[in-house]
Amino acid sequence: MQIYKHGREYTLYGFSKQYMDGTHFVGAKILDIKAVMEDRLCNFVAETCRRIDSLIHSYTGFFGVDLMISKDSLDVLECNIRLTAATLPTLLANAISAYRYVEYFEEVPLLSVDTADTVLVRSEYTDSAHIIRPCR
């Protein structure tokens, strides 16, 4: 979950499924919040923000909450009180909301970058890029 905090107000602006290669984060599938926000998830987000408020009461800014979601439970794995790898890709995905979802990938070989992809960071050293890829 991607959240912005200002005072005691919390705004959920992103929800994504992380892509992992073993224990290494390689990207995310950034989902349409309206499509995935069922009541139990909305309630869980509100309760999570209520519980951490006393710990981050003076903080203003972006942060991420990693969840473990199963059929029977929702559990917080960690709260990252900072800009996360998915912050900027999620904000950009929200700006191009005409798509079902947007994928974000790190360290994509430049030869695999498509003309429809948006390059966020390009590395001449590793011949790779961080990209977002809208999916219809």
Side-chain angles (χ1 to χ4, degrees), residues 32 40 51 63 101:
D32 179 357
R40 95 175 171 135
R51 287 183 178 210
F63 69 98
Y101 60 91

Side-chain angles (χ1 to χ4, degrees), residues 33-44 69 74:
I33 294 175
K34 295 175 210 104
V36 298
M37 290 305 288
E38 57 192 49
D39 286 342
R40 95 175 171 135
L41 194 52
C42 286
N43 294 337
F44 186 78
I69 300 175
L74 296 166

Side-chain angles (χ1 to χ4, degrees), residues 16 51 96:
S16 60
R51 287 183 178 210
I96 55 172

Side-chain angles (χ1 to χ4, degrees), residues 21-38:
D21 182 9
T23 59
H24 183 69
F25 175 82
V26 295
K29 181 178 184 177
I30 302 167
L31 305 168
D32 179 357
I33 294 175
K34 295 175 210 104
V36 298
M37 290 305 288
E38 57 192 49

Side-chain angles (χ1 to χ4, degrees), residues 1-5 10-18 25 28-29 31 37 41-53 55-56 59 61-69 74-87 90:
M1 296 184 305
Q2 297 294 317
I3 301 170
Y4 180 77
K5 179 183 181 293
Y10 292 81
T11 303
L12 176 69
Y13 68 92
F15 191 85
S16 60
K17 178 180 179 179
Q18 292 185 354
F25 175 82
K29 181 178 184 177
L31 305 168
M37 290 305 288
L41 194 52
C42 286
N43 294 337
F44 186 78
V45 170
E47 178 64 15
T48 299
C49 291
R50 187 189 66 72
R51 287 183 178 210
I52 66 170
D53 190 65
L55 300 171
I56 62 171
Y59 178 75
F62 296 97
F63 69 98
V65 177
D66 291 350
L67 305 176
M68 179 71 74
I69 300 175
L74 296 166
D75 297 295
V76 172
L77 297 177
E78 66 179 344
C79 295
N80 298 294
I81 311 302
R82 57 176 166 75
L83 290 175
T84 67
T87 300
T90 301

